Amino acid sequence: MLLAVLIANSEGNILVERFNGVPAEERLHWRSFLVKLGADNLRGVKNEELLVANHKSVYIVYTVLGDVSIFVVGKDEYDELAYPPMGAWPISRNGSVAETIFVITSALKDVCGKPPTERLFLDKYGKICLCLDEIVWKGLLENTDKDRIKRLIRLKPPTEF
Amino acid sequence: MAQPLVKKDDDRDDEVDYSPFLGIEKGAVLQEARVFNDPQLDTRRCSQVITKLLYLLNQGETLTKVEATEVFFAVTKLFQSKDIGLRRMVYLMIKELSPSADEVIIVTSSLMKDMNSRTDMYRANAIRVLCRITDGTLLTQIERYLKQAIVDKSPVVASAALVSGIHLLQTNPEIVKRWSNEVQEAVQSRAALVQFHALALLHQIRQNDRLAVNKLVTSLTKGSIRSPLAQCLLIRYTSQVIRESGVNPQTGDRPFYDYLEGCLRHKAEMVIYEAAKAITELSNVTARELTPAITVLQLFLSSSKPVLRFAAVRTLNKVAMTHPMAVTNCNIDMESLISDQNRSIATLAITTLLKTGNESSVDRLMKQITNFMSDIADEFKIVVVEAIRSLCLKFPLKYRSLMNFLSNILREEGGFEYKKAIVDSIVILIRDIPDAKESGLLHLCEFIEDCEFTYLSTQILHFLGNEGPKTSDPSKYIRYIYNRVILENATVRASAVSTLAKFGALVDPLKPRIFVLLRRCLFDNDDEVRDRATLYLNTLGDGSVTETDKAVKEFLFGSLDIPLTNLETSLKNYLRDPAEEPFDLYSVPKEVKSQSFAEKKAPSKKPTGLSAQPAAPTSAPDAYERLLSSIPEFASFGKLFKSSAPVELTEAETEYAVNVVKHIFDRHVVFQYNCTNTIPEQCLENVTVIVDASEAEEFAEVGTKPLKSLPYDTPAQTFVAFEKPEGVPAVGKFSNVLRFTVKEVDPSTGEAEDDGVEDEYQLEDFEVVAADYILKLGVSNFKNAWENMDPASERVDEYGLGPRESLAEAVNAVIILLGMHPCEGTEVVPSNSRSHTCLLSGVYIGNVKVLVRLSFGIDGTKEVAMKLAVRSEDESVSEAIHEIVASG
């Protein structure tokens, strides 16, 4: 299950947050935990360099893209390959949480045309919401191909199956 | 040329200063949402307003019930527009608003219309939205369409319906289960994604039916799956079936293994990897089965994709834990991964190599690791340190280079956990490899000269006090220890004082000098340090009170003999209701409750299968003692010596579950039968166990305590007590029959009928064995304890144990036979070793301490010989231990 996808600006203000199966009272806790995690570790990190952390039984993969930082939280089947479960450490692109964040970053770049500034991100906000809707459906990763997503958000049938 | 540049800069300024959502307010946006009601829809503006609403919702803003309803109704109006972009936004908005049941009805018709639209994408999206917002009653209405959609010829539509099915299965399983025919058809679809989704749904529908899953796997492995993703799923389901069915006992073949092996030649990498992983995870996998999987993983090691390298090395690392020899072929590829840019891959490669490497490659490996250590994080370093420790235990001759490595990394920067791991490793190496002792102790001394962790300093000082005096030149350690008294904080100073005293007690030539140093400590500004110095000066003979030499050593080196956790619980209990009399140290139970050291260190050695018995509650001995003393019939039996772990007397999942706990007293044994009734329609009354002790001649039954009533699922106990000769470890076999009156119970009211029928239920036999008369009790320092025991009590003899599977198996058998506590991790036998020494300690009935030293040897024909040396406080007990072994 992908518990949360959260996108924040460089000051830690939330731009997008989508939770799945997280009770409302725990959301605030997650939000502040993730923002702090970003503030502690994301300074000086290159675009799309993935960091991993784990908190209790859930795994968090996070990264920076332009002015925004992206966090994906997963558990159960969405942790398997997000090894190692310790501290912050760049890992290769693998595993489900990492896979999800990779899809999100590539879709963002596709929509914005480049790593987005905060302004650009907000300008494309509607499209970005649609992309996220296609990528994560009720906590499960669904579409992973950026061209396919691009067609789907314009209600065009995908070219291949 | 300059003009556009300037302009661009202006643009960027704009970007920084202005956000399209600057000053956005919920109220204003809700006002704006009225444009949805305009007769002439401005689609662009509508899209913008929806974006703003999404922005608000994504910021964590919530709409009140009234607001949400209003927006929802307005949004439904947008179905009039034919604009595709807007329609997509509308779908998303409805999902975000998740309207309540009474509102859903408003959009249902619009969505149903879209569901039957000619445009595939309308159909697909409408299905998703409907399934997201639907409830059970609505679902039955649209079920017909969904079934149709599953077999729709457009893959987008079919996938949408299948994925919706996967989600709906959580909330409305009985409806989704009715779709199985359609789903089965979809599994045969030509579209890869549809096949994948259909297979996932089909398996979820049938997952609780083992036979159906088995059939599914059998039919699909014959080869109708084209999609690589679906193939991966099928491999997972197949390994699940293999796990449940086991190996064919006649041919030794594993069902479906050929399928898995075939997948290793698939063209998609993900399928190859999934199959290789499945093979390596088979239970009791043989070397022959492993080989093809290892070969493909080896190829992945040199892949250009980091994902594949990572996956392969991680899997091989796991295999190396159980089958190190199978992985050795990959060593060369693995060595090149040490310099891999991705540090996760490099760490895994190193730890794998450390597990599979042979003696000749150690030095080369260490050189490579040294370069690597500087640029990884502490967590990885700990993994490496632990791997090096086990390598050193495997190849004791290589201790020099490994110990040097450890001392070098000890000097470098690092956090507490990392340093602790290194110190622990050095301590273990010193303990297990006598040659490494002196150099190891000096490394530790140098470390405490500049150690920022109080905990580690005190631990090392304690260890130094025990080991340092026995080295060839104890005086060289004094400088390091006394430096602590001058330079460190109070806690470390106090430990240093104790360590100095230990040197003084054991090394007579050093005594006068130690007194000088201890006297200086009398002026310390900390109470504890001064108190310790005074105490030790007096006990060692500098003051007025002089103790005997033996008493001094007992005081300094003897252990408390009581597990600290037990002491802590007892003290807490004492403080909770303080009594008149002072706390009695001897009232603390001595039974070791927690896992032993080695079990914690080597969790992989213990099978943690489903068959593992649930552990007894941690405070079992206390609870047993209270329980037994509360029964008047048994109150006169005196103090409880030992309670065994529960022995199951019934198979799992039978009508009645019964296990027995054997309680040993000086002159009695009490069997406590824990019974559970697992039939809801029955209540048992007057439950007793009829024990036949004809094969236990020294036991005579003295009483039983029947159980009045045993309702469904409420465990309760019945007891049977026997008398036996005092202090004698009488053994024997007991057969048991459960006797009771069974009464029918009406499950709806829970009331039992008045009339019952007498019935019996055969239970398994069990034995009282010699180990039941020995308490597990650890000693902190076996060597000291052994030397302090009277050598005259020692009894030594040799035994042939016959051919054994392995040395470890023989060692384990003797430990179980004696039921004593293995000390200092000596129950772990390094693989391939030809000889082993195991140290055991315990308390024999009558509160007699016993220590056992076992030396094992195995020859080429797997014949095991054992030398058994016993020391105890009572010679007859030493002999009794020999009798147990001789008759075992």
Side-chain angles (χ1 to χ4, degrees), chain A residues 14-15 17-18 80 86 89 92-94 119 122 125-126 133-134 137 142 148 152 155 161, chain B residues 15 18-19 51 55 58-59 84 88 95-96 121 125 128 167 277 307 314 342-343 379:
Chain A
I14 309 295
L15 299 174
E17 59 175 13
R18 293 171 70 88
E80 220 210 273
M86 38 190 163
W89 191 256
S92 65
R93 175 172 77 78
N94 60 53
R119 161 71 198 266
L122 293 173
Y125 199 83
D133 187 47
E134 295 291 353
W137 208 66
E142 203 178 343
R148 186 185 166 96
L152 286 172
L155 276 182
F161 287 92
Chain B
E15 279 188 7
Y18 169 71
S19 149
T51 310
Y55 178 79
N58 277 329
Q59 297 273 303
I84 293 179
R88 183 66 186 83
K95 284 193 264 187
E96 287 289 314
M121 292 308 291
N125 275 282
R128 283 168 185 258
H167 289 291
K277 185 163 167 252
V307 195
R314 190 160 94 107
N342 187 314
R343 305 280 76 186
E379 292 93 340

CSV table of all heavy atoms in Angstrom, one decimal, chain A residues 14-15 17-18 80 86 89 92-94 119 122 125-126 133-134 137 142 148 152 155 161, chain B residues 15 18-19 51 55 58-59 84 88 95-96 121 125 128 167 277 307 314 342-343 379:
chain,number,residue,atom,x,y,z
A,14,ILE,N,3.3,22.6,2.1
A,14,ILE,CA,2.8,21.5,1.3
A,14,ILE,C,2.1,22.0,0.0
A,14,ILE,O,1.4,23.0,0.0
A,14,ILE,CB,1.7,20.8,2.1
A,14,ILE,CG1,2.2,20.4,3.5
A,14,ILE,CG2,1.2,19.6,1.4
A,14,ILE,CD1,3.3,19.4,3.5
A,15,LEU,N,2.5,21.4,-1.1
A,15,LEU,CA,1.8,21.7,-2.3
A,15,LEU,C,0.7,20.7,-2.7
A,15,LEU,O,-0.4,21.0,-3.1
A,15,LEU,CB,2.8,21.8,-3.5
A,15,LEU,CG,4.0,22.8,-3.3
A,15,LEU,CD1,5.0,22.7,-4.4
A,15,LEU,CD2,3.4,24.2,-3.2
A,17,GLU,N,-0.8,16.9,-1.1
A,17,GLU,CA,-0.7,15.7,-0.3
A,17,GLU,C,-1.8,14.8,-0.6
A,17,GLU,O,-3.0,15.2,-0.6
A,17,GLU,CB,-0.6,16.0,1.2
A,17,GLU,CG,-1.7,16.8,1.8
A,17,GLU,CD,-1.6,17.0,3.3
A,17,GLU,OE1,-0.5,16.8,3.8
A,17,GLU,OE2,-2.6,17.4,3.9
A,18,ARG,N,-1.5,13.5,-0.8
A,18,ARG,CA,-2.6,12.5,-1.0
A,18,ARG,C,-2.3,11.4,-0.1
A,18,ARG,O,-1.2,10.7,-0.2
A,18,ARG,CB,-2.5,12.1,-2.5
A,18,ARG,CG,-2.9,13.2,-3.5
A,18,ARG,CD,-2.6,12.7,-4.9
A,18,ARG,NE,-3.5,11.6,-5.3
A,18,ARG,CZ,-4.7,11.9,-5.8
A,18,ARG,NH1,-5.1,13.1,-6.0
A,18,ARG,NH2,-5.5,10.9,-6.2
A,80,GLU,N,9.4,-3.8,-0.5
A,80,GLU,CA,10.3,-4.9,-0.5
A,80,GLU,C,11.7,-4.5,-1.0
A,80,GLU,O,12.7,-4.9,-0.4
A,80,GLU,CB,9.8,-6.0,-1.4
A,80,GLU,CG,10.1,-7.3,-0.8
A,80,GLU,CD,10.2,-8.4,-1.8
A,80,GLU,OE1,9.2,-8.9,-2.1
A,80,GLU,OE2,11.4,-8.6,-2.2
A,86,MET,N,17.7,1.6,6.5
A,86,MET,CA,18.3,2.3,7.6
A,86,MET,C,18.8,3.7,7.1
A,86,MET,O,19.4,3.8,6.0
A,86,MET,CB,19.5,1.5,8.1
A,86,MET,CG,20.2,0.8,7.1
A,86,MET,SD,21.4,-0.4,7.8
A,86,MET,CE,21.8,-1.5,6.5
A,89,TRP,N,20.1,7.2,2.6
A,89,TRP,CA,21.2,6.8,1.7
A,89,TRP,C,20.7,6.7,0.3
A,89,TRP,O,19.6,6.2,0.1
A,89,TRP,CB,21.6,5.3,2.2
A,89,TRP,CG,22.9,4.9,1.5
A,89,TRP,CD1,23.0,4.1,0.5
A,89,TRP,CD2,24.2,5.4,1.8
A,89,TRP,NE1,24.3,3.9,0.1
A,89,TRP,CE2,25.0,4.8,0.9
A,89,TRP,CE3,24.7,6.3,2.7
A,89,TRP,CZ2,26.4,5.0,0.9
A,89,TRP,CZ3,26.1,6.5,2.7
A,89,TRP,CH2,26.9,5.9,1.8
A,92,SER,N,19.8,3.0,-5.8
A,92,SER,CA,19.5,2.9,-7.2
A,92,SER,C,18.0,2.9,-7.3
A,92,SER,O,17.2,2.7,-6.4
A,92,SER,CB,20.1,1.7,-7.8
A,92,SER,OG,19.4,0.6,-7.2
A,93,ARG,N,17.5,3.1,-8.5
A,93,ARG,CA,16.1,3.1,-8.8
A,93,ARG,C,15.6,1.7,-8.8
A,93,ARG,O,15.9,0.9,-9.7
A,93,ARG,CB,15.9,3.8,-10.1
A,93,ARG,CG,14.4,3.7,-10.5
A,93,ARG,CD,14.3,4.5,-11.8
A,93,ARG,NE,14.7,3.8,-13.0
A,93,ARG,CZ,14.1,2.9,-13.6
A,93,ARG,NH1,12.9,2.5,-13.1
A,93,ARG,NH2,14.5,2.3,-14.6
A,94,ASN,N,15.0,1.3,-7.7
A,94,ASN,CA,14.5,-0.1,-7.7
A,94,ASN,C,13.4,-0.2,-6.7
A,94,ASN,O,13.2,0.7,-5.9
A,94,ASN,CB,15.6,-1.1,-7.4
A,94,ASN,CG,16.2,-0.8,-6.1
A,94,ASN,OD1,15.5,-0.7,-5.1
A,94,ASN,ND2,17.5,-0.6,-6.0
A,119,ARG,N,6.7,28.1,-9.1
A,119,ARG,CA,5.7,28.8,-9.9
A,119,ARG,C,5.2,27.9,-11.0
A,119,ARG,O,4.0,27.8,-11.2
A,119,ARG,CB,6.4,30.1,-10.5
A,119,ARG,CG,5.7,30.7,-11.7
A,119,ARG,CD,4.4,31.3,-11.2
A,119,ARG,NE,3.6,31.6,-12.4
A,119,ARG,CZ,3.5,32.7,-13.1
A,119,ARG,NH1,4.2,33.7,-12.7
A,119,ARG,NH2,2.7,32.8,-14.1
A,122,LEU,N,3.0,25.3,-9.8
A,122,LEU,CA,1.6,25.7,-9.5
A,122,LEU,C,0.8,26.0,-10.8
A,122,LEU,O,-0.4,25.9,-10.8
A,122,LEU,CB,1.7,26.9,-8.6
A,122,LEU,CG,2.2,26.6,-7.2
A,122,LEU,CD1,2.4,27.8,-6.3
A,122,LEU,CD2,1.3,25.6,-6.4
A,125,TYR,N,-0.7,23.0,-12.0
A,125,TYR,CA,-1.2,22.2,-10.9
A,125,TYR,C,-2.3,21.2,-11.3
A,125,TYR,O,-2.3,20.0,-10.9
A,125,TYR,CB,-1.8,23.2,-9.9
A,125,TYR,CG,-1.9,22.6,-8.5
A,125,TYR,CD1,-0.9,22.5,-7.6
A,125,TYR,CD2,-3.2,22.1,-8.1
A,125,TYR,CE1,-1.0,21.9,-6.4
A,125,TYR,CE2,-3.3,21.5,-6.9
A,125,TYR,CZ,-2.2,21.4,-6.0
A,125,TYR,OH,-2.4,20.9,-4.8
A,126,GLY,N,-3.2,21.7,-12.1
A,126,GLY,CA,-4.3,20.8,-12.5
A,126,GLY,C,-3.8,19.5,-13.2
A,126,GLY,O,-4.2,18.4,-12.9
A,133,ASP,N,-3.3,11.2,-10.2
A,133,ASP,CA,-4.5,10.3,-10.2
A,133,ASP,C,-4.3,9.1,-11.1
A,133,ASP,O,-4.7,8.0,-10.8
A,133,ASP,CB,-5.7,11.1,-10.7
A,133,ASP,CG,-7.0,10.3,-10.6
A,133,ASP,OD1,-7.2,9.8,-9.5
A,133,ASP,OD2,-7.7,10.3,-11.6
A,134,GLU,N,-3.5,9.2,-12.2
A,134,GLU,CA,-3.3,8.1,-13.1
A,134,GLU,C,-2.2,7.2,-12.5
A,134,GLU,O,-2.2,6.0,-12.7
A,134,GLU,CB,-2.9,8.6,-14.5
A,134,GLU,CG,-3.9,9.3,-15.2
A,134,GLU,CD,-5.1,8.4,-15.6
A,134,GLU,OE1,-5.0,7.2,-15.4
A,134,GLU,OE2,-6.1,8.9,-16.1
A,137,TRP,N,-3.5,4.8,-7.8
A,137,TRP,CA,-5.0,4.7,-7.7
A,137,TRP,C,-5.3,4.0,-6.4
A,137,TRP,O,-5.0,2.8,-6.2
A,137,TRP,CB,-5.5,3.9,-8.9
A,137,TRP,CG,-6.9,4.3,-9.2
A,137,TRP,CD1,-7.3,5.6,-9.6
A,137,TRP,CD2,-8.1,3.5,-9.0
A,137,TRP,NE1,-8.7,5.6,-9.7
A,137,TRP,CE2,-9.2,4.4,-9.4
A,137,TRP,CE3,-8.3,2.2,-8.6
A,137,TRP,CZ2,-10.5,3.9,-9.3
A,137,TRP,CZ3,-9.6,1.8,-8.6
A,137,TRP,CH2,-10.7,2.6,-8.9
A,142,GLU,N,-0.3,2.3,-10.5
A,142,GLU,CA,-0.9,1.8,-11.6
A,142,GLU,C,-0.2,2.1,-12.9
A,142,GLU,O,0.4,1.2,-13.5
A,142,GLU,CB,-2.4,2.3,-11.7
A,142,GLU,CG,-3.1,1.2,-12.5
A,142,GLU,CD,-4.5,1.5,-12.6
A,142,GLU,OE1,-5.1,2.3,-11.9
A,142,GLU,OE2,-5.2,1.0,-13.6
A,148,ARG,N,2.3,7.2,-21.7
A,148,ARG,CA,0.9,6.6,-21.5
A,148,ARG,C,0.1,7.5,-20.6
A,148,ARG,O,-1.0,7.9,-20.9
A,148,ARG,CB,1.1,5.2,-20.8
A,148,ARG,CG,-0.2,4.5,-20.7
A,148,ARG,CD,0.2,3.2,-19.9
A,148,ARG,NE,-1.1,2.6,-19.5
A,148,ARG,CZ,-1.7,1.6,-20.1
A,148,ARG,NH1,-1.2,1.1,-21.2
A,148,ARG,NH2,-2.8,1.1,-19.6
A,152,LEU,N,-3.4,9.5,-21.2
A,152,LEU,CA,-4.5,9.2,-20.3
A,152,LEU,C,-5.1,10.5,-19.7
A,152,LEU,O,-6.3,10.6,-19.6
A,152,LEU,CB,-4.1,8.2,-19.2
A,152,LEU,CG,-3.9,6.8,-19.6
A,152,LEU,CD1,-3.3,6.0,-18.4
A,152,LEU,CD2,-5.2,6.2,-20.1
A,155,LEU,N,-7.5,12.1,-21.8
A,155,LEU,CA,-8.6,11.1,-22.2
A,155,LEU,C,-8.3,10.5,-23.6
A,155,LEU,O,-9.3,10.3,-24.3
A,155,LEU,CB,-9.9,11.8,-22.1
A,155,LEU,CG,-10.6,11.8,-20.8
A,155,LEU,CD1,-11.9,12.5,-20.8
A,155,LEU,CD2,-10.7,10.5,-20.2
A,161,PHE,N,-0.6,-2.0,-25.2
A,161,PHE,CA,-0.9,-2.6,-23.9
A,161,PHE,C,0.1,-3.8,-23.6
A,161,PHE,O,0.1,-4.7,-24.4
A,161,PHE,CB,-2.3,-3.2,-24.0
A,161,PHE,CG,-3.3,-2.1,-23.9
A,161,PHE,CD1,-3.8,-1.4,-25.0
A,161,PHE,CD2,-3.7,-1.6,-22.6
A,161,PHE,CE1,-4.7,-0.4,-24.9
A,161,PHE,CE2,-4.6,-0.6,-22.5
A,161,PHE,CZ,-5.1,0.0,-23.6
B,15,GLU,N,8.4,34.8,-11.8
B,15,GLU,CA,8.2,33.4,-11.3
B,15,GLU,C,8.3,33.3,-9.8
B,15,GLU,O,7.6,32.7,-9.1
B,15,GLU,CB,9.1,32.4,-12.0
B,15,GLU,CG,8.7,32.0,-13.3
B,15,GLU,CD,9.5,30.9,-13.9
B,15,GLU,OE1,10.4,30.4,-13.2
B,15,GLU,OE2,9.3,30.6,-15.1
B,18,TYR,N,5.5,35.6,-7.8
B,18,TYR,CA,4.0,35.4,-8.0
B,18,TYR,C,3.6,34.0,-8.0
B,18,TYR,O,4.1,33.2,-8.8
B,18,TYR,CB,3.6,36.2,-9.2
B,18,TYR,CG,2.2,35.9,-9.6
B,18,TYR,CD1,1.1,36.4,-8.8
B,18,TYR,CD2,1.9,35.1,-10.7
B,18,TYR,CE1,-0.2,36.1,-9.2
B,18,TYR,CE2,0.6,34.9,-11.1
B,18,TYR,CZ,-0.4,35.4,-10.3
B,18,TYR,OH,-1.7,35.1,-10.6
B,19,SER,N,2.7,33.6,-7.2
B,19,SER,CA,2.1,32.2,-7.3
B,19,SER,C,0.7,32.4,-7.8
B,19,SER,O,0.0,33.3,-7.4
B,19,SER,CB,2.2,31.6,-6.0
B,19,SER,OG,1.1,30.7,-5.9
B,51,THR,N,-9.1,23.3,-10.6
B,51,THR,CA,-7.7,23.2,-10.1
B,51,THR,C,-7.5,23.9,-8.8
B,51,THR,O,-6.9,23.4,-7.9
B,51,THR,CB,-6.8,23.9,-11.1
B,51,THR,OG1,-7.1,23.4,-12.4
B,51,THR,CG2,-5.3,23.7,-10.8
B,55,TYR,N,-6.3,22.3,-5.4
B,55,TYR,CA,-5.2,22.8,-4.6
B,55,TYR,C,-5.6,22.9,-3.1
B,55,TYR,O,-4.8,22.5,-2.2
B,55,TYR,CB,-4.8,24.2,-5.2
B,55,TYR,CG,-3.7,24.9,-4.4
B,55,TYR,CD1,-2.4,24.5,-4.6
B,55,TYR,CD2,-3.9,25.9,-3.5
B,55,TYR,CE1,-1.3,25.1,-4.0
B,55,TYR,CE2,-2.9,26.5,-2.8
B,55,TYR,CZ,-1.6,26.1,-3.1
B,55,TYR,OH,-0.6,26.7,-2.4
B,58,ASN,N,-5.8,19.5,-1.6
B,58,ASN,CA,-4.5,18.9,-1.4
B,58,ASN,C,-3.6,19.6,-0.3
B,58,ASN,O,-2.6,19.1,0.1
B,58,ASN,CB,-3.7,18.9,-2.7
B,58,ASN,CG,-4.1,17.8,-3.6
B,58,ASN,OD1,-4.5,16.7,-3.1
B,58,ASN,ND2,-4.1,18.0,-4.9
B,59,GLN,N,-4.0,20.8,0.1
B,59,GLN,CA,-3.3,21.5,1.1
B,59,GLN,C,-3.8,21.0,2.5
B,59,GLN,O,-3.4,21.5,3.5
B,59,GLN,CB,-3.6,23.0,1.0
B,59,GLN,CG,-3.0,23.6,-0.2
B,59,GLN,CD,-1.6,24.0,0.0
B,59,GLN,OE1,-1.3,24.7,0.9
B,59,GLN,NE2,-0.7,23.4,-0.8
B,84,ILE,N,-13.2,17.6,-23.5
B,84,ILE,CA,-12.6,16.4,-23.0
B,84,ILE,C,-11.7,16.7,-21.8
B,84,ILE,O,-11.8,16.0,-20.8
B,84,ILE,CB,-11.7,15.7,-24.1
B,84,ILE,CG1,-12.6,15.2,-25.2
B,84,ILE,CG2,-10.9,14.6,-23.5
B,84,ILE,CD1,-11.9,14.5,-26.3
B,88,ARG,N,-12.2,15.2,-17.9
B,88,ARG,CA,-11.2,14.5,-17.1
B,88,ARG,C,-11.1,15.1,-15.7
B,88,ARG,O,-11.0,14.4,-14.7
B,88,ARG,CB,-9.9,14.5,-17.8
B,88,ARG,CG,-8.8,13.7,-17.1
B,88,ARG,CD,-9.1,12.2,-17.1
B,88,ARG,NE,-8.1,11.5,-16.4
B,88,ARG,CZ,-8.2,11.3,-15.0
B,88,ARG,NH1,-9.1,11.9,-14.4
B,88,ARG,NH2,-7.3,10.6,-14.4
B,95,LYS,N,-14.1,12.1,-7.6
B,95,LYS,CA,-13.3,11.1,-6.8
B,95,LYS,C,-12.8,11.8,-5.5
B,95,LYS,O,-12.8,11.2,-4.4
B,95,LYS,CB,-12.2,10.5,-7.5
B,95,LYS,CG,-12.6,9.5,-8.5
B,95,LYS,CD,-11.5,8.6,-9.1
B,95,LYS,CE,-10.9,9.2,-10.4
B,95,LYS,NZ,-9.9,8.4,-11.0
B,96,GLU,N,-12.3,13.0,-5.7
B,96,GLU,CA,-11.8,13.7,-4.5
B,96,GLU,C,-12.8,14.1,-3.5
B,96,GLU,O,-12.6,14.1,-2.3
B,96,GLU,CB,-11.1,15.0,-5.0
B,96,GLU,CG,-9.8,14.8,-5.7
B,96,GLU,CD,-8.7,14.3,-4.8
B,96,GLU,OE1,-8.5,14.9,-3.7
B,96,GLU,OE2,-8.0,13.4,-5.1
B,121,MET,N,-12.4,5.8,-23.5
B,121,MET,CA,-11.8,6.5,-22.4
B,121,MET,C,-12.9,6.9,-21.4
B,121,MET,O,-12.7,7.0,-20.2
B,121,MET,CB,-10.9,7.6,-22.8
B,121,MET,CG,-9.7,7.2,-23.5
B,121,MET,SD,-8.7,6.0,-22.6
B,121,MET,CE,-8.2,6.9,-21.2
B,125,ASN,N,-13.0,5.6,-17.6
B,125,ASN,CA,-13.0,6.5,-16.4
B,125,ASN,C,-14.3,6.5,-15.6
B,125,ASN,O,-14.2,6.6,-14.4
B,125,ASN,CB,-12.7,8.0,-16.9
B,125,ASN,CG,-11.2,8.2,-17.1
B,125,ASN,OD1,-10.5,8.4,-16.1
B,125,ASN,ND2,-10.7,8.1,-18.3
B,128,ARG,N,-14.1,3.7,-13.2
B,128,ARG,CA,-13.3,3.9,-12.1
B,128,ARG,C,-14.0,4.9,-11.1
B,128,ARG,O,-14.0,4.6,-9.9
B,128,ARG,CB,-12.0,4.6,-12.5
B,128,ARG,CG,-11.0,3.6,-13.1
B,128,ARG,CD,-9.9,4.2,-13.8
B,128,ARG,NE,-9.1,3.2,-14.4
B,128,ARG,CZ,-8.0,2.7,-13.9
B,128,ARG,NH1,-7.5,3.2,-12.8
B,128,ARG,NH2,-7.3,1.7,-14.6
B,167,HIS,N,-10.1,-3.6,-6.0
B,167,HIS,CA,-10.4,-2.7,-4.8
B,167,HIS,C,-11.8,-3.0,-4.2
B,167,HIS,O,-11.9,-3.1,-3.0
B,167,HIS,CB,-10.4,-1.2,-5.3
B,167,HIS,CG,-9.1,-0.7,-5.6
B,167,HIS,ND1,-8.1,-0.5,-4.6
B,167,HIS,CD2,-8.5,-0.4,-6.8
B,167,HIS,CE1,-7.0,-0.1,-5.2
B,167,HIS,NE2,-7.2,0.0,-6.5
B,277,LYS,N,14.8,-15.8,-7.8
B,277,LYS,CA,14.6,-15.5,-6.4
B,277,LYS,C,13.7,-16.6,-5.8
B,277,LYS,O,13.9,-17.0,-4.7
B,277,LYS,CB,13.9,-14.1,-6.3
B,277,LYS,CG,13.6,-13.6,-4.9
B,277,LYS,CD,13.3,-12.1,-4.9
B,277,LYS,CE,12.8,-11.7,-3.6
B,277,LYS,NZ,11.4,-11.4,-3.6
B,307,VAL,N,19.7,-1.5,-10.9
B,307,VAL,CA,18.6,-2.2,-10.3
B,307,VAL,C,18.9,-3.7,-10.3
B,307,VAL,O,18.8,-4.4,-9.3
B,307,VAL,CB,17.3,-2.0,-11.1
B,307,VAL,CG1,16.2,-2.5,-10.2
B,307,VAL,CG2,17.2,-0.6,-11.5
B,314,ARG,N,21.7,-8.7,-3.7
B,314,ARG,CA,20.9,-8.9,-2.5
B,314,ARG,C,20.4,-10.3,-2.3
B,314,ARG,O,20.5,-10.9,-1.2
B,314,ARG,CB,19.7,-7.9,-2.5
B,314,ARG,CG,19.0,-7.9,-1.2
B,314,ARG,CD,18.2,-6.7,-1.1
B,314,ARG,NE,16.8,-6.9,-1.5
B,314,ARG,CZ,15.8,-7.0,-0.7
B,314,ARG,NH1,16.0,-6.8,0.6
B,314,ARG,NH2,14.6,-7.2,-1.2
B,342,ASN,N,27.3,2.6,-6.4
B,342,ASN,CA,26.2,2.5,-5.5
B,342,ASN,C,26.6,1.8,-4.3
B,342,ASN,O,26.9,0.6,-4.3
B,342,ASN,CB,25.0,1.8,-6.2
B,342,ASN,CG,23.8,1.8,-5.4
B,342,ASN,OD1,23.8,1.5,-4.2
B,342,ASN,ND2,22.7,2.1,-6.0
B,343,ARG,N,26.6,2.5,-3.1
B,343,ARG,CA,27.2,1.9,-1.9
B,343,ARG,C,26.4,0.8,-1.4
B,343,ARG,O,26.9,-0.1,-0.7
B,343,ARG,CB,27.4,3.0,-0.9
B,343,ARG,CG,28.2,4.2,-1.3
B,343,ARG,CD,29.7,4.0,-1.3
B,343,ARG,NE,30.1,3.2,-2.4
B,343,ARG,CZ,31.4,2.8,-2.6
B,343,ARG,NH1,32.3,3.1,-1.7
B,343,ARG,NH2,31.7,2.1,-3.6
B,379,GLU,N,25.8,2.6,9.6
B,379,GLU,CA,25.0,1.4,9.6
B,379,GLU,C,25.6,0.3,8.7
B,379,GLU,O,25.5,-0.9,9.1
B,379,GLU,CB,23.6,1.7,9.0
B,379,GLU,CG,22.8,2.6,9.9
B,379,GLU,CD,22.9,4.1,9.6
B,379,GLU,OE1,23.9,4.4,8.9
B,379,GLU,OE2,22.1,4.9,10.0
